[in-house]
Amino acid sequence: MGMNVTQKILNDHLVSGGLTPGQELAIRIDQTLTQDATGTMAYLQFEAMGLDRVKNELAVSYVDHNTIQVGFENADDHQYLQSVAAKYGIIYSKPGNGICHQLHLERFGAPGKTLLGSDSHTPTGGGIGMLAMGAGGIDVAVAMGGGAFYLTAPKVVKIHLTGRLRAWVTAKDVILKVLQTFTTKGNVGCIFEYAGPGVETLSVPERATITNMGAECGVTTSVFPSDDVTRAFLDAQGRGGVWRELKADADATYDREVSINLSKIVPLAAAPHSPDNIVTVASLAGMKVDQVMIGSCTNSSFQDLKTVVKILKDHKVHPEVSLGVAPGSRQVLEMLAGDGGVSVLLSVGARLLENACGFCIGNSQSPATDAVSLRTNNRNFEGRTGTKSAKAYLVSPPIAALAAILGRIVDPLATAGLKYPRVKMPKVFDLDDSMLIQPSADPKSVVIVRGPNIGEPPRNVALPEAIQGVATIKVGDKITTDHIMPAGARLKYRSNVPAYSKYVFENTDPEFAQRAAGLRDAGKHNVIVGGESYGQGSSREHAALCPMYLGVKVVVAKSIERIHSANLVNFGILPVLFENPADYERLVQGDELVVEGVRAAMKNGAERLVIRNVTRGVEVPVTAQLTARQRAIILAGGLLNFTRESK
Ligand code: MIC
Ligand code: SF4
């Protein structure tokens, strides 16, 4: 029987299990990537596992998130990461080189390979025909040590593209259309595979915009075939040798199929505060804009920014708008400089930002109170910009550029006289890998640098016989990892769990951390009660690690997103789902909760557990949908203990 692209790559890398959806399978990981905000913890865990050399084909450590360096913390992290890379055989991408996903696509991505990254937008690599997935840092550490990656065999959803994008409609609008169709909920365990005649009309950076932001749907990853367009991109990057053709067999089957006609898509926007809150740009036309931010791993390619430059040329940024442009990589910046684009940006009055995550993660460029901010990145969760009252709209680079000049949102399809500049892909990219530092030829001589910001990864204890706890917090639907573990100004504590833990749920319930720590110290277990789609968004394992440090033992929710659920298990927190979602109402914050026989259930493989609400005298049945391996990890109190025990 024929295979689709997903099945072909999985099959080539299968270590155990099968491809029947829902089954656990393990695959070999060819390439890994980390970024600094999750990387320090990943490498601390790599060291704690007693690993002494990376064993996979390629490991790259990027520095792109924490590049602001107010105080010593970020710079301490960079030194630690550089010395670890030199010692253990990892390529180190210096701060200033660019954003991990953009760089990986340019310099390392290869069709048919598997890539595991400690960042939820690792699926960007799907744009070049890789099976590229986000995971917690500890899973990436295991893969660097040569261990397999475990996942649920996915359901493959075919997204059949026909037609061709018209002027002013871009890849961003395609993925916003996909988000409108699938939303951010209910896609756990799926992979989006793009196919159809529309595929060849999209460049690799355009495909990468689509696979990047597929992360917002909560899918395992998204993937495009590898074709002549992919080959041309790799040739232009001087890496044609890694190209191979990869397409679905004619008789391949899928679990679901959806068609999208590219010619029918109109400019779209994600309105506050969710990437699936999709409206047309036409419906927003006339809205006054205070800030415009162009960049992030979703839309910062040369093609994106050159389009922006052409729209801005011969104009000035509106007096009441602050326009920031952050190129995705040094390659993009150099090429813009080389053909006069940087001069245009400066002459129109744009603020040239560092080629890094920057504004996207909210550690700089926070908008004013109540401001409207138009952004080309992928997430507009409440408060992510660093300003809780700001309203962030996600749009394509051309829509952002027009608004920067005119001071308001404009629907280009309804505005006469606007000429859309179609930018062709360059035949050759500027190549300069001098900010990619190769590992040391003499690893034994390398001393790992540990400044005061580098803490030890905290250890958990084995799972107790029973949970004797309290519903320490009850939250609603779509709680993102940004709600659980804020980034922005708190990002500098990523390598210091005791310090970072003080900010768990900071913007949702500022007293949570203190309350939880108090209960933990009084010998109680903390339980988090969540709604639908708990743990959306980032792969940051700190959203599990810091709650673990505060004594959280169970998360009970209506549904839990894939990466977060895996992270909870990795840190010994039991994720369970309400058997009957209406029972969510039967648990109230502050209630005393008991779960008897939880250890025994993990040992016997029993899925069903009962939460006894002592305060209200009711019982709530829940299910723990875990594989045998995950139950063993929970019993051990997390993956670090589990790998030690199984050595
Ligand atoms: C994000 O976009 O939210 C991040 C910051 O890149 C995260 C990783 C992190 O929290 O460090 C992600 O997407 O996984
Ligand atoms: Fe960086 Fe933003 Fe991309 Fe996350 S989404 S990797 S913060 S640019």
Side-chain angles (χ1 to χ4, degrees):
M1 203 178 72
M3 283 198 271
N4 54 46
V5 170
T6 306
Q7 289 165 336
K8 285 185 184 184
I9 306 180
L10 285 175
N11 210 41
D12 276 356
H13 292 82
L14 208 56
V15 174
S16 66
L19 299 187
T20 315
Q23 266 192 342
E24 185 178 59
L25 66 87
I27 54 168
R28 196 180 70 251
I29 295 298
D30 300 321
Q31 304 188 349
T32 54
L33 73 78
T34 58
Q35 41 88 341
D36 53 310
T38 53
T40 45
M41 209 34 81
Y43 295 112
L44 285 165
Q45 292 169 142
F46 182 87
E47 291 187 275
M49 283 178 208
L51 299 166
D52 56 7
R53 197 76 192 157
V54 292
K55 297 202 172 66
N56 60 321
E57 275 176 26
L58 172 84
V60 192
S61 170
Y62 295 94
V63 178
D64 53 3
H65 281 62
N66 274 318
T67 57
I68 299 295
Q69 297 175 222
V70 180
F72 62 90
E73 291 90 344
N74 300 163
D76 274 12
D77 286 356
H78 303 169
Q79 280 190 335
Y80 168 75
L81 291 167
Q82 182 156 6
S83 58
V84 163
K87 194 170 186 71
Y88 297 127
I90 300 152
I91 295 176
Y92 177 71
S93 172
K94 289 175 72 180
N97 201 28
I99 307 176
C100 56
H101 308 303
Q102 172 70 21
L103 280 169
H104 207 85
L105 200 67
E106 292 172 0
R107 306 309 304 140
F108 301 107
K113 297 276 183 192
T114 52
L115 166 68
L116 195 69
S118 61
D119 191 283
S120 65
H121 292 107
T122 305
T124 313
I128 205 165
M130 307 185 88
L131 201 78
M133 290 163 294
I138 195 165
D139 281 328
V140 178
V142 168
M144 284 190 286
F149 178 60
Y150 291 79
L151 70 158
T152 308
K155 287 195 189 117
V156 185
V157 180
K158 177 181 181 184
I159 303 191
H160 187 80
L161 301 179
T162 57
R164 176 182 285 272
L165 293 173
R166 53 181 138 158
W168 297 104
V169 184
T170 69
K172 176 65 137 235
D173 304 299
V174 179
I175 188 60
L176 293 177
K177 181 81 201 163
V178 170
L179 269 152
Q180 187 177 41
T181 312
F182 289 90
T183 79
T184 59
K185 297 191 309 192
N187 306 304
V188 175
C190 294
I191 288 185
F192 289 164
E193 183 170 319
Y194 290 86
V199 166
E200 66 184 40
T201 68
L202 299 170
S203 68
V204 166
E206 287 173 324
R207 296 174 188 186
T209 293
I210 295 171
T211 57
N212 169 289
M213 222 177 143
E216 276 41 82
C217 294
V219 290
T220 305
T221 189
S222 305
V223 65
F224 271 83
S226 166
D227 55 11
D228 287 342
V229 174
T230 323
R231 190 212 296 247
F233 176 82
L234 283 165
D235 278 342
Q237 290 285 354
R239 302 196 297 113
V242 304
W243 181 79
R244 58 175 268 215
E245 185 175 58
L246 195 59
K247 55 180 193 194
D249 294 327
D251 56 345
T253 56
Y254 298 84
D255 296 286
R256 187 178 162 196
E257 296 195 22
V258 169
S259 281
I260 295 182
N261 184 346
L262 299 176
S263 320
K264 294 232 164 99
I265 301 179
V266 296
L268 297 170
H273 294 288
S274 177
D276 65 355
N277 192 8
I278 306 299
V279 295
T280 60
V281 166
S283 73
L284 301 174
M287 182 189 281
K288 186 181 173 315
V289 169
D290 304 287
Q291 184 192 50
V292 175
M293 288 286 134
I294 300 177
S296 95
C297 58
T298 320
N299 279 113
S300 60
S301 67
F302 177 71
Q303 204 182 8
D304 279 326
L305 298 196
K306 183 80 200 188
T307 309
V308 166
V309 163
K310 289 196 161 190
I311 295 169
L312 295 175
K313 199 169 179 324
D314 302 327
H315 297 278
K316 290 284 177 208
V317 173
H318 190 276
E320 281 163 32
V321 174
S322 175
L323 167 66
V325 180
S329 68
R330 204 161 56 106
Q331 182 184 77
V332 173
L333 180 55
E334 280 186 351
M335 289 180 68
L336 278 183
D339 75 358
V342 169
S343 310
V344 171
L345 291 176
L346 297 178
S347 71
V348 301
R351 298 167 72 178
L352 194 56
L353 307 177
E354 188 175 12
N355 37 325
C357 296
F359 72 86
C360 173
I361 184 68
N363 66 4
S364 56
Q365 300 293 328
S366 296
T369 305
D370 297 331
V372 169
S373 178
L374 238 57
R375 300 183 157 222
T376 66
N377 62 308
N378 44 38
R379 292 186 171 145
N380 60 345
F381 305 143
E382 188 175 16
R384 185 172 159 107
T385 59
T387 305
K388 203 168 174 196
S389 66
K391 292 176 266 315
Y393 291 81
L394 307 178
V395 295
S396 69
I399 298 298
L402 283 177
I405 309 167
L406 296 163
R408 59 192 161 78
I409 297 179
V410 175
D411 174 15
L413 299 189
T415 311
L418 293 178
K419 193 169 170 320
Y420 183 63
R422 272 199 201 276
V423 172
K424 288 215 179 72
M425 286 294 286
K427 291 258 176 305
V428 188
F429 287 95
D430 283 2
L431 304 181
D432 172 5
D433 288 338
S434 58
M435 285 179 89
L436 291 170
I437 311 297
Q438 296 299 320
S440 167
D442 178 18
K444 285 213 174 70
S445 69
V446 178
V447 178
I448 294 182
V449 186
R450 292 173 211 276
N453 195 44
I454 309 293
E456 281 287 301
R459 306 292 285 242
N460 201 355
V461 292
L463 183 74
E465 294 300 336
I467 303 294
Q468 309 275 354
V470 173
T472 319
I473 187 168
K474 180 172 176 178
V475 290
D477 290 345
K478 290 194 183 180
I479 288 295
T480 70
T481 50
D482 280 77
H483 290 104
I484 305 169
M485 219 45 269
R490 309 299 182 204
L491 204 55
K492 63 181 184 184
Y493 299 119
R494 283 290 175 93
S495 314
N496 187 340
V497 172
Y500 200 23
S501 296
K502 294 189 184 131
Y503 305 106
V504 178
F505 283 119
E506 184 189 16
N507 296 321
T508 310
D509 177 349
E511 268 110 56
F512 170 81
Q514 223 183 347
R515 195 162 69 240
L519 286 162
R520 172 198 63 194
D521 296 344
K524 290 274 184 198
H525 301 137
N526 289 300
V527 177
I528 295 174
V529 182
E532 223 39 281
S533 205
Y534 182 81
Q536 275 189 13
S538 137
S539 69
R540 63 189 71 150
E541 60 189 358
H542 297 78
L545 178 54
C546 294
M548 172 206 99
Y549 181 77
L550 294 176
V552 173
K553 291 285 174 209
V554 178
V555 170
V556 51
K558 292 183 189 170
S559 64
I560 307 180
E561 291 301 301
R562 172 188 72 93
I563 304 181
H564 187 59
S565 181
N567 285 340
L568 290 173
V569 171
N570 283 347
F571 292 98
I573 298 177
L574 180 63
V576 293
L577 302 182
F578 289 106
E579 198 172 277
N580 172 8
D583 282 348
Y584 169 82
E585 303 303 335
R586 306 175 90 182
L587 303 183
V588 175
Q589 188 165 312
D591 285 355
E592 204 178 312
L593 309 178
V594 173
V595 190
E596 309 281 5
V598 64
R599 237 192 121 74
M602 287 299 112
K603 281 192 184 144
N604 309 336
E607 268 206 359
R608 196 164 190 268
L609 292 163
V610 174
I611 298 182
R612 190 152 54 80
N613 186 336
V614 179
T615 309
R616 281 165 219 285
V618 290
E619 294 200 334
V620 171
V622 293
T623 53
Q625 292 162 3
L626 303 173
T627 65
R629 180 176 170 276
Q630 288 181 315
R631 283 196 298 272
I633 295 174
I634 291 278
L635 279 167
L639 187 55
L640 217 46
N641 295 349
F642 174 76
T643 36
R644 281 266 171 99
E645 283 170 17
S646 42
K647 262 199 169 173

